[in-house]
Amino acid sequence: MAWFEREFVAVPEDRKNQLVYKWPDVNIRRYTRAMVNADQLALFVKSGQVVGAMGPGRHRIDADELPVLGALVDTVTGGNYYRAELYFVSTREFPGIRFGGRLADILDPVSEQVVTLRVFGEFALTVRDPAELITALAGTADLTDQDRVQSWCADLLLKSMKIAVTQGISRGDWQVLGLSAQLQPIESAVLRQTNTALYEYGLRIPRLGNFDISLAPEDADRLKRLAKDVKYIRLTGDFQRYAAGELALGASQGFAHGHHHGAEGGFLGAALSLSAIGQHVGGPSPAPPPATAQETGQTACAACQSANPAGAKFCMNCGARLTPQPRHCPSCGAESSPNAKFCGDCGTPMPGG
C-alpha cells in the first residue's frame, strides 16, 4: 500500500500557465495522490462525459472516495488501475491576449464616404464552466494548445466587434471620426456579443485591455479634408467663392516655392477671393475700391450689379440673364439682334423697333 501512495499526478511546472493540461496516461494507478493547485480544478472524463471532479488540495484516487471511477481494470497488472482521462483546468484569469486586424469597409453616414476601420488591443480570458469547456471542445479542438485556443477566441472577438461597431455606426449611435470617445459603450456591446457566443463553450472574456479603433491613414486624411472643405464652404457662403480661394492659395504657395508661371493670375485671384470673403462676413476692407466691371473686362449684372467673367450668360450671384435675349421675326422666324428695327431676312418691321 505504501508503495502505491508514493505515486502522484500534478501539473508540471512548465505547464502551469496553460488554460488546460491533460494528464498523458489514461491508466491511473489506484491510491495515486493527485495534487490540485489553488487556481485549478481536476476533472475525470469517460466517454466524453465528466464523471468526477476534484477541487484544490491533495486527493487519493480510489473508488471509495470517487465511486464514479468505476471498477478497476487491467487484470494483467493485478487490477490496480482505473481508466479515465484526467484534465487540470485553470480557473484564473489570463490577461494580455492580443487581438486585432481589419474590421470592415463601412459607409460613413455623415460624409457618405466608404472607409476602412481597423482595431488593435488586448483582452482577458477565463473559464466560466470547466465541465462545459471539456465536453464542448475536447473532442473537436486540442485544449492543451494554448495559442490555438486564444487565437480562436481572438477571432471570435474580432467578429463580434465588427458586428457591434457596424450596427452602431449604421444606427447613428457612433460617428466614424468620434469612435475613440465611445470605447466604453463599444466595449460593453462587444463583450455582450462575444460572451453570448462563448457561453456554450464554458469560456468568458471578462474585460478588454487597451484597444483602439482607427481609420486607415488615407481614409482619415480624406475625411479630415472633407470636413475642412464643408466648414469653409459654410463660411464663404457658396462653393464658387471657396473654390476661388483654394485656387488662389495654391497659386500663391506655388509662387512662394519658386513656381513663377502664372503668378500674377494667382495673386489677382487671391485678391478677388479675399475681397468676397470680407464682404460676406461683414468685415471692412482696407483695400481701395475694386475696379468697375468695364475696367476689368467683365460683365456687370443689371439686376444685382455683381461682376461676372466676360462671356458669362447668367449672373453667378443672382442667376439673372446677362446678355439680352435675341428676338425673332414675326413673319419668317429668323433671329435678329435685340436692337434691330427690321428683319434682316425678309425686311418685316420688328415689334418695338
Side-chain angles (χ1 to χ4, degrees), residues 101-105 116-119 158 161-162 165-166 213:
R102 178 174 174 171
L103 274 182
D105 292 334
T116 300
L117 295 176
R118 305 180 302 178
V119 61
L158 186 62
M161 181 164 289
K162 180 185 301 184
V165 172
T166 301
I213 302 175

Side-chain angles (χ1 to χ4, degrees), residues 292-299 308-311:
T292 63
Q294 290 76 12
E295 293 173 344
T296 59
Q298 295 180 331
T299 302
N308 292 271

Side-chain angles (χ1 to χ4, degrees), residues 13 63 107 114 123 139 188 210 218 231-232 243 260 265 337:
E13 288 293 331
L107 177 66
V114 177
F123 68 96
S188 300
N210 295 326
E218 59 275 11
K231 181 177 180 180
Y232 283 134
H260 300 285
S337 62

Side-chain angles (χ1 to χ4, degrees), residues 1-260:
M1 181 72 66
W3 184 81
F4 289 140
E5 292 185 348
R6 285 199 299 269
E7 294 191 3
F8 64 91
V9 295
V11 178
E13 288 293 331
D14 60 342
R15 301 295 182 89
K16 288 186 176 180
N17 289 326
Q18 288 189 190
L19 190 70
V20 177
Y21 175 76
K22 181 182 179 182
W23 185 251
D25 194 355
V26 296
N27 293 322
I28 303 174
R29 187 186 294 272
R30 187 184 185 189
Y31 300 127
T32 295
R33 296 289 181 176
M35 291 185 294
V36 184
N37 293 329
D39 59 350
Q40 294 174 345
L41 188 68
L43 302 176
F44 290 97
V45 179
K46 281 187 175 183
S47 302
Q49 299 295 323
V50 176
V51 297
M54 297 183 297
R58 184 187 292 265
H59 305 269
R60 188 179 73 170
I61 300 178
D62 180 29
D64 293 337
E65 295 187 11
L66 296 167
V68 292
L69 291 179
L72 296 170
V73 297
D74 199 352
T75 56
V76 176
T77 58
N80 291 317
Y81 290 85
Y82 299 101
R83 182 176 292 274
E85 295 178 324
L86 178 58
Y87 291 88
F88 292 86
V89 182
S90 178
T91 57
R92 67 182 179 88
E93 184 177 293
F94 289 81
I97 305 173
R98 295 186 177 274
F99 79 101
R102 178 174 174 171
L103 274 182
D105 292 334
I106 187 170
L107 177 66
D108 177 21
V110 177
S111 65
E112 297 184 352
Q113 299 290 309
V114 177
V115 296
T116 300
L117 295 176
R118 305 180 302 178
V119 61
F120 295 96
E122 299 177 346
F123 68 96
L125 181 66
T126 187
V127 176
R128 181 188 61 82
D129 189 319
E132 287 191 5
L133 172 64
I134 298 300
T135 56
L137 292 179
T140 58
D142 184 6
L143 292 175
T144 62
D145 189 343
Q146 183 87 349
D147 293 337
R148 188 171 182 178
V149 174
Q150 292 180 354
S151 178
W152 177 72
C153 293
D155 291 342
L156 186 59
L157 176 62
L158 186 62
K159 179 181 179 181
S160 299
M161 181 164 289
K162 180 185 301 184
I163 295 173
V165 172
T166 301
Q167 291 178 347
I169 293 176
S170 300
R171 291 194 304 263
D173 297 339
W174 309 319
Q175 295 184 3
V176 170
L177 287 179
L179 288 178
S180 297
Q182 304 293 334
L183 293 184
Q184 185 172 355
I186 291 175
E187 178 177 353
S188 300
V190 170
L191 288 181
R192 183 169 56 252
Q193 179 93 15
T194 307
N195 287 326
T196 299
L198 287 176
Y199 188 87
E200 60 180 306
Y201 299 105
L203 293 170
R204 186 172 69 91
I205 296 180
R207 58 185 174 84
L208 298 180
N210 295 326
F211 77 99
D212 184 44
I213 302 175
S214 61
L215 289 165
E218 59 275 11
D219 290 337
D221 292 341
R222 180 156 50 95
L223 289 189
K224 289 178 181 178
R225 289 197 305 268
L226 183 60
K228 184 196 74 170
D229 292 347
V230 172
K231 181 177 180 180
Y232 283 134
I233 288 173
R234 291 175 180 172
L235 177 65
T236 58
D238 58 52
F239 177 76
Q240 291 176 343
R241 292 182 180 181
Y242 169 68
E246 285 290 294
L247 182 62
L249 180 61
S252 61
Q253 288 177 347
F255 181 80
H257 287 81
H259 304 289
H260 300 285

Side-chain angles (χ1 to χ4, degrees), residues 234-236 241 274-284:
R234 291 175 180 172
L235 177 65
T236 58
R241 292 182 180 181
L274 292 176
S275 175
I277 294 176
Q279 292 175 4
H280 177 73
V281 300

